[in-house]
Amino acid sequence: MESTNEFLSEMYGAHPRHYVAVDCVIFGYNNGELKLLLYPRSFEPSKGNWSLPGGFVQNHESSDQAAIRILKKTTGLDNIFMEQVAAFAEPDREKAARVISLAYYALVRLDQYDENLLKEYGATWYSLTDMPDLIFDHNEMVAKALAKLQYTAGYQLVGSELLPELFTLTQLRRLYEAIFQRELDPGNFRKKILSLGILKRSNRKDSTESKKGAYYYCYHQEGIQEKEIGRIIKV
Amino acid sequence: MESTNEFLSEMYGAHPRHYVAVDCVIFGYNNGELKLLLYPRSFEPSKGNWSLPGGFVQNHESSDQAAIRILKKTTGLDNIFMEQVAAFAEPDREKAARVISLAYYALVRLDQYDENLLKEYGATWYSLTDMPDLIFDHNEMVAKALAKLQYTAGYQLVGSELLPELFTLTQLRRLYEAIFQRELDPGNFRKKILSLGILKRSNRKDSTESKKGAYYYCYHQEGIQEKEIGRIIKV
DNA sequence: ACAAAAGTGTTGTATTTACACCCATGA
DNA sequence: TCATGGGTGTAAATACAACACTTTTGT
């Protein structure tokens, strides 16, 4: 798929081409905790140091598709909520070769994750609060990814990917507490969320988390969670 | 600067490399209006159609540096406020070759702009409200750039690049009205901005814009406009 | 009975919004 | 004097935060 005609060599030929990678900040949610999937780097330089899973953008795929491919390979999951974070393009950000990296973040459910993939590569879920130092500029990628996740979660309900079909408001609150890394008042959160009018109460109740039992809710319609609803949580 | 040892050919060699471009959404501000600098494309395909100024990322420069270089070349200015917007990486976004583009936006003062550069390339400043269709995905770049500018301007005062050293609160308000594309209440804006404590009133007055005259303000200290100040304008 | 989460209500504060209104002055 | 933007004040509405209190039920 090389383009070699005269026009192209005139317009593009004089310019260098670069490896373009996608690195994924994979947030795994389970039970009130947000964790981060890290891989020990399997080759020099920086062998053994922790890093984000990544891969190279191929010729006929978009960076979004590359991210989907990497997520599938590393977690076994597809249909994942995912957003581009930023491009990292310092010329010497990787020692061995120049690689321009596009950072993405993704949200997955820890309980749906394929355990075997963990062992195969020695990957580990780290809590955000006690994760190790990462190679290159991956620390910065994580920081920016979390900031973008918080921004996005502040404008739309991001629950559908991380919670079961039916969920209680407490479950949703714990998810938001994990994303925003702080406690949220149960009563105020409940009122705020319900006032948005995007949740529908089912007639079933959850009895596992409390004696009284809590109603299950679900989204009013598929997709409606992405409509304009103004700020949910102040950032 | 090719890396050809065995390790690299193993780790990187099998992967394709891509042209990486930087496209700049250059917002020019003057007199209450935000304009966009557009170039007629000088070669096929899409010759004559309007596009954002851009260029290719070279071997030893970061994408930020590439953006600075392009801004210098197209406007004659350096030391410009600038932010990365996003990467655009659909495989067929440009017809002739695969180019992954990193969009940036920048803010410049229209009155400092080098007029000669305009004529040389046939570039034109377009008002945001009546700009032509752009090639490729450049329309989307502009939309995302404006959204990011609004987000950033909502958290920090972006005036220092676009206003003179000394400016009146009305001038600052007009800038914010241009950025947010809506009118802002003069009294409320004044109180909000002053409450941030980052402006210092000078003892000089502007007499050109009103009969009464308005005090000039300036930033308390250089750089302070970037400190955390919470939301200025609700987005 | 009581602990613990679900769910509702209340209250004080801060912020936002929409104005009214006085001030200063050039034309 | 009067039109105009500069600048201040105020009142209603809304949003936010803290927390009391009531409900339900498994143990």
Side-chain angles (χ1 to χ4, degrees):
Chain A
M1 190 44 180
E2 285 302 292
S3 301
T4 50
N5 69 48
E6 194 179 328
F7 161 70
L8 287 182
S9 70
E10 185 194 331
M11 298 324 312
Y12 299 98
H15 297 289
R17 301 199 292 176
H18 309 279
Y19 295 116
V20 178
V22 163
D23 287 314
C24 295
V25 179
I26 305 179
F27 293 115
Y29 178 74
N30 196 29
N31 223 333
E33 248 217 313
L34 205 60
K35 297 202 171 185
L36 184 58
L37 184 59
L38 296 179
Y39 278 69
R41 197 169 151 94
S42 58
F43 51 88
E44 297 295 345
S46 305
K47 179 172 176 178
N49 290 18
W50 293 98
S51 74
L52 298 171
F56 288 91
V57 175
Q58 301 301 312
N59 271 327
H60 298 296
E61 66 178 2
S62 67
S63 57
D64 286 11
Q65 287 163 343
I68 290 168
R69 175 170 55 77
I70 291 160
L71 288 165
K72 175 73 176 178
K73 201 179 88 180
T74 53
T75 67
L77 301 172
D78 32 37
N79 227 317
I80 288 176
F81 179 66
M82 184 192 85
E83 272 195 305
Q84 190 194 114
V85 177
F88 291 76
E90 290 299 315
D92 55 353
R93 53 176 292 282
E94 293 198 23
K95 314 303 183 247
R98 184 179 188 171
V99 179
I100 290 172
S101 178
L102 312 181
Y104 278 73
Y105 79 83
L107 296 176
V108 307
R109 286 173 56 177
L110 260 179
D111 60 348
Q112 291 184 342
Y113 174 79
D114 185 341
E115 272 294 335
N116 297 324
L117 290 168
L118 263 190
K119 285 165 191 143
E120 188 173 341
Y121 298 105
T124 308
W125 289 104
Y126 272 99
S127 160
L128 279 181
T129 45
D130 68 327
M131 51 177 267
D133 238 43
L134 308 182
I135 62 169
F136 307 153
D137 43 14
H138 288 198
N139 288 304
E140 194 187 339
M141 289 182 181
V142 172
K144 283 200 180 176
L146 183 61
K148 180 136 191 179
L149 168 57
Q150 291 177 345
Y151 174 77
T152 299
Y155 274 108
Q156 58 184 243
L157 242 34
V158 294
S160 58
E161 301 82 9
L162 297 188
L163 297 175
E165 187 81 15
L166 291 173
F167 51 87
T168 67
L169 287 172
T170 300
Q171 288 173 323
L172 184 62
R173 175 170 53 82
R174 292 216 196 292
L175 168 61
Y176 267 75
E177 289 176 335
I179 290 175
F180 287 92
Q181 308 268 289
R182 63 185 164 95
E183 299 211 329
L184 301 171
D185 182 278
N188 294 338
F189 181 81
R190 149 185 301 276
K191 274 173 288 186
K192 181 75 183 180
I193 296 296
L194 291 180
S195 76
L196 301 173
I198 57 183
L199 293 189
K200 195 171 55 184
R201 200 176 79 178
S202 76
N203 39 21
R204 302 190 44 218
K205 274 192 160 194
D206 164 85
S207 304
T208 62
E209 298 201 52
S210 77
K211 334 231 156 155
K212 180 177 176 183
Y215 279 108
Y216 281 121
Y217 287 78
C218 66
Y219 289 104
H220 233 289
Q221 294 162 356
E222 274 318 308
I224 200 178
Q225 67 269 32
E226 286 176 22
K227 78 169 182 177
E228 265 313 313
I229 47 181
R231 282 260 108 208
I232 305 172
I233 303 288
K234 201 168 69 175
V235 188
Chain B
M1 190 48 176
E2 283 303 290
S3 301
T4 49
N5 69 49
E6 195 178 327
F7 160 69
L8 286 182
S9 70
E10 184 195 332
M11 298 324 311
Y12 298 99
H15 298 289
R17 300 197 290 174
H18 309 280
Y19 294 116
V20 178
V22 163
D23 287 314
C24 295
V25 179
I26 304 179
F27 294 115
Y29 177 75
N30 196 27
N31 223 333
E33 249 218 312
L34 206 60
K35 298 203 170 183
L36 185 58
L37 183 59
L38 296 179
Y39 277 69
R41 195 169 152 96
S42 58
F43 51 89
E44 296 296 345
S46 304
K47 180 172 175 177
N49 289 19
W50 294 98
S51 73
L52 299 173
F56 289 91
V57 175
Q58 301 301 312
N59 271 327
H60 298 296
E61 66 177 2
S62 67
S63 57
D64 285 12
Q65 287 164 343
I68 290 168
R69 176 170 55 77
I70 291 160
L71 288 164
K72 175 73 176 177
K73 202 180 87 181
T74 53
T75 67
L77 303 172
D78 32 37
N79 227 315
I80 289 176
F81 180 66
M82 186 193 85
E83 273 195 303
Q84 191 194 112
V85 177
F88 290 77
E90 290 298 316
D92 55 353
R93 54 176 291 282
E94 294 198 22
K95 314 301 183 250
R98 183 176 189 175
V99 179
I100 290 172
S101 178
L102 312 181
Y104 278 72
Y105 79 83
L107 296 175
V108 306
R109 287 172 55 177
L110 259 179
D111 59 350
Q112 291 184 343
Y113 175 81
D114 185 340
E115 271 296 334
N116 296 324
L117 290 168
L118 265 188
K119 285 164 191 143
E120 189 174 339
Y121 299 104
T124 308
W125 289 104
Y126 272 99
S127 159
L128 279 181
T129 46
D130 69 326
M131 52 178 267
D133 238 42
L134 308 182
I135 61 170
F136 307 153
D137 43 13
H138 287 197
N139 289 304
E140 194 187 338
M141 289 182 182
V142 173
K144 284 200 181 178
L146 183 60
K148 180 138 191 178
L149 169 58
Q150 291 177 345
Y151 173 77
T152 299
Y155 274 107
Q156 60 184 242
L157 241 34
V158 294
S160 59
E161 301 83 10
L162 297 186
L163 297 175
E165 188 79 16
L166 291 173
F167 50 86
T168 67
L169 287 172
T170 300
Q171 288 174 323
L172 184 61
R173 174 170 52 81
R174 292 217 196 292
L175 168 61
Y176 267 75
E177 289 176 337
I179 291 174
F180 288 93
Q181 308 267 293
R182 62 185 165 97
E183 300 212 330
L184 301 171
D185 182 278
N188 294 337
F189 181 81
R190 151 184 301 275
K191 274 173 289 187
K192 181 74 183 180
I193 296 297
L194 291 181
S195 76
L196 302 174
I198 57 183
L199 293 189
K200 194 170 57 184
R201 199 176 80 178
S202 77
N203 37 22
R204 301 189 46 218
K205 275 193 159 192
D206 165 85
S207 303
T208 62
E209 298 200 52
S210 77
K211 336 228 156 157
K212 179 177 177 184
Y215 279 108
Y216 282 121
Y217 287 79
C218 68
Y219 289 103
H220 234 288
Q221 294 163 357
E222 274 317 309
I224 201 177
Q225 66 271 30
E226 288 177 21
K227 77 167 184 177
E228 264 313 314
I229 47 180
R231 282 260 108 208
I232 304 172
I233 303 288
K234 200 167 70 174
V235 189

